[in-house]
Amino acid sequence: MLPEQNPYSPGSGRRPPELVGRQKELEAFDTLSARVGYGLGDRGIVLTGLRGVGKTVLLNEMHRRAEADGWLTVRLEARRDEEGAKTVRRALARELVVAARKLTRTSLTGRMKDALGTISSFNAKIGATSIELGVDISTGRADSGDVEVDLLELVEDVATALGEKRRGFALFVDEMQDLDAETMGALIAAQHAANQRDWPFYIVAAGLPNLPRVLTETRSYAERLFNYRPIGKLARDDAAYALREPAERLGAEYEPDALEQLLDATGGYPYFIQEFGQTAWDLAPERTITAADAAAAVSYGTDRLDAGFFRSRWERATKSERRMLFAMAVDGEGPSPTAEVAHRMTLQPSSLGPYRAALISKGLVYAPEHGQIAYTVPGMAAYIDRHHDDLDVSGAAD
Ligand SMILES: Nc1ncnc2c1ncn2[C@@H]1O[C@H](COP(=O)(O)OP(=O)(O)OP(=O)(O)O)[C@@H](O)[C@H]1O
Ligand SMILES: [Mg+2]
């Protein structure tokens, strides 16, 4: 069928044609938003899951809803590099100023003017943007240079001003596990203070499955601060709907057997649903996607994923790190006991440490528990199995 009409959306953070199977998470956000409307408190939300399950898409949808409800919102993506802390704080200040600028068009309460002054002061200290908000800078507020103190003052001033209007202030943080420890600690502390004092400030975050652990290791009380929502593969019915519905809307359909084959190939993972759906559409000559079309799509789609999605991740690893990825594949989707992986590589567990740390930092593996390790990408073990003979893992040197 015509590729220009293809409704599927493989990619990163791309809104799918049907956002299926996430009603409970969206309801959790709607409840939070409704409670803010009543002047009541709630907890922030943390979405966690493997690569490609749809965390960013869901975070974006919650962000959209918060904006529609008149909240002041900031959207951030954490990055794990040397400049990470500086970059994310500059982004926070800049995005805050930009978001606050929209408010300047409305008539402002005294408190709101003060809050804008605090945002200006926070920004002036960090020097993120020269955009002005047309209010006096609240010198001495949120400009100490101590990120925890400054964020707390900022959150207090902004959230209490918005709270008067029954509106919320929210930070949407993607890849939160990659946030530097200091900024993470400051954000959790701000959320903690807000919860205790019923300021309508909320962190809505997304990240890998180890994010809850990272949060509680940073501040033990983080365990009780958030509504933790693990996001996974879709139930078979939902996955079927996600494949079928976009095609049917354009007058195309799947033969039942074709649908089953494709569903098996996707394993219910949202990213794979979009990828195989797109391939099946492109390969089918007629508006009915037959079992033969589906078989071709599974074969071609798998090759494409192997050559792109999986291979690009494999190539991010050095030779020694690949040996570790290889040794983990014995456990399928995992997790693998770290000591066992070291044993398979004929290494002392302590010698595995640097490879483990490098792979975590590259976002290829994560530690579900102490002493365990798992792939962040669904299907990685199967990829390694498929290419067992042609993946170069010989030799220990990089
Ligand atoms: N509920 C859903 N139903 C169908 N497709 C979805 C759904 N959620 C996301 N997708 C699709 O899955 C793909 C991955 O989505 P997204 O980038 O949000 O995942 P992610 O969990 O943020 O991945 P990563 O960890 O790599 O950032 C996209 O192509 C998106 O269109
Ligand atoms: Mg994402």
Side-chain angles (χ1 to χ4, degrees):
M1 284 179 273
L2 294 173
E4 57 268 36
Q5 289 180 359
N6 198 314
Y8 299 98
S9 61
S12 177
R14 279 183 70 195
R15 195 184 159 83
E18 291 292 329
L19 184 57
V20 299
R22 305 298 186 218
Q23 286 79 0
K24 289 218 171 73
E25 287 70 33
L26 291 171
E27 273 165 27
F29 182 80
D30 288 344
T31 303
L32 162 62
S33 186
R35 288 182 64 84
V36 168
Y38 288 121
L40 298 169
D42 204 336
R43 288 179 296 174
I45 297 177
V46 173
L47 308 168
T48 61
L50 297 176
R51 297 267 166 234
V53 292
K55 303 178 294 294
T56 300
V57 159
L58 198 50
L59 193 70
N60 288 345
E61 175 59 20
M62 291 179 179
H63 180 223
R64 195 192 62 74
R65 292 182 183 202
E67 286 271 297
D69 290 344
W71 289 29
L72 182 78
T73 68
V74 172
R75 176 99 174 61
L76 293 174
E77 186 176 324
R79 268 193 302 163
R80 189 190 279 262
D81 55 38
E82 272 169 33
E83 292 287 287
K86 223 164 138 194
T87 315
V88 83
R89 286 176 210 173
R90 286 176 69 90
L92 171 60
R94 189 182 56 241
E95 296 306 315
L96 251 176
V97 170
V98 171
R101 216 175 148 264
K102 290 187 210 152
L103 297 176
T104 58
R105 279 183 234 127
T106 56
S107 67
L108 297 173
T109 60
R111 263 221 163 126
M112 202 62 232
K113 277 190 194 138
D114 291 345
L116 295 185
T118 305
I119 292 175
S120 301
S121 165
F122 182 72
N123 173 52
K125 178 72 188 178
I126 294 179
T129 170
S130 56
I131 298 173
E132 292 192 1
L133 293 175
V135 293
D136 293 335
I137 292 190
S138 311
T139 309
R141 236 12 221 165
D143 61 0
S144 73
D146 176 327
V147 66
E148 189 155 336
V149 172
D150 293 350
L151 264 176
L152 193 64
E153 290 180 354
L154 178 81
V155 164
E156 175 173 11
D157 293 0
V158 176
T160 50
L162 286 161
E164 282 187 337
K165 301 252 178 198
R166 297 282 160 95
R167 284 150 66 172
F169 171 29
L171 292 188
F172 291 83
V173 189
D174 205 358
E175 304 287 356
M176 190 163 179
Q177 76 284 341
D178 287 341
L179 206 58
D180 67 281
E182 208 188 358
T183 311
M184 173 138 10
L187 284 180
I188 300 171
Q191 181 70 83
H192 191 211
N195 285 30
Q196 287 177 341
R197 291 163 224 183
D198 277 343
W199 302 333
F201 165 72
Y202 294 101
I203 294 170
V204 182
L208 290 172
N210 64 329
L211 175 56
R213 199 158 64 83
V214 175
L215 289 169
T216 44
E217 279 171 5
T218 307
R219 292 282 193 281
S220 59
Y221 55 73
E223 199 183 353
R224 283 156 287 144
L225 277 186
F226 297 101
N227 180 355
Y228 291 97
R229 318 285 311 199
I231 308 297
K233 49 186 162 190
L234 298 177
R236 190 111 176 153
D237 282 358
D238 288 335
Y241 187 84
L243 267 179
R244 219 191 309 113
E245 190 60 24
E248 286 181 357
R249 239 184 287 127
L250 296 174
E253 60 176 6
Y254 290 89
E255 279 182 356
D257 192 28
L259 194 65
E260 293 303 316
Q261 280 187 58
L262 288 165
L263 285 174
D264 288 344
T266 66
Y269 280 104
Y271 172 66
F272 298 143
I273 291 175
Q274 301 306 325
E275 192 69 54
F276 283 106
Q278 184 181 60
T279 308
W281 176 283
D282 285 348
L283 290 185
E286 306 292 339
R287 294 228 155 231
T288 299
I289 298 165
T290 64
D293 296 333
V298 170
S299 163
Y300 185 67
T302 306
D303 287 348
R304 253 192 11 181
L305 285 171
D306 283 3
F309 182 74
F310 289 115
R311 176 130 215 124
S312 66
R313 285 173 164 81
W314 178 257
E315 283 178 349
R316 252 183 250 163
T318 64
K319 222 171 212 178
S320 314
E321 291 157 17
R322 287 177 194 175
R323 284 184 62 220
M324 180 168 164
L325 294 175
F326 205 76
M328 287 166 62
V330 177
D331 303 302
E333 293 290 285
S336 303
T338 326
E340 184 58 34
V341 173
H343 177 71
R344 287 175 200 152
M345 295 168 71
T346 59
L347 287 176
Q348 291 298 320
S350 56
S351 315
L352 194 68
Y355 307 135
R356 180 183 168 278
L359 285 172
I360 289 178
S361 148
K362 290 176 182 176
L364 296 173
V365 305
Y366 72 100
E369 308 262 347
H370 279 294
Q372 288 189 347
I373 200 81
Y375 303 115
T376 56
V377 177
M380 195 69 191
Y383 165 76
I384 290 173
D385 273 351
R386 281 197 293 279
H387 296 270
H388 204 271
D389 298 330
D390 53 284
L391 293 176
D392 182 10
V393 290
S394 55
D398 288 330

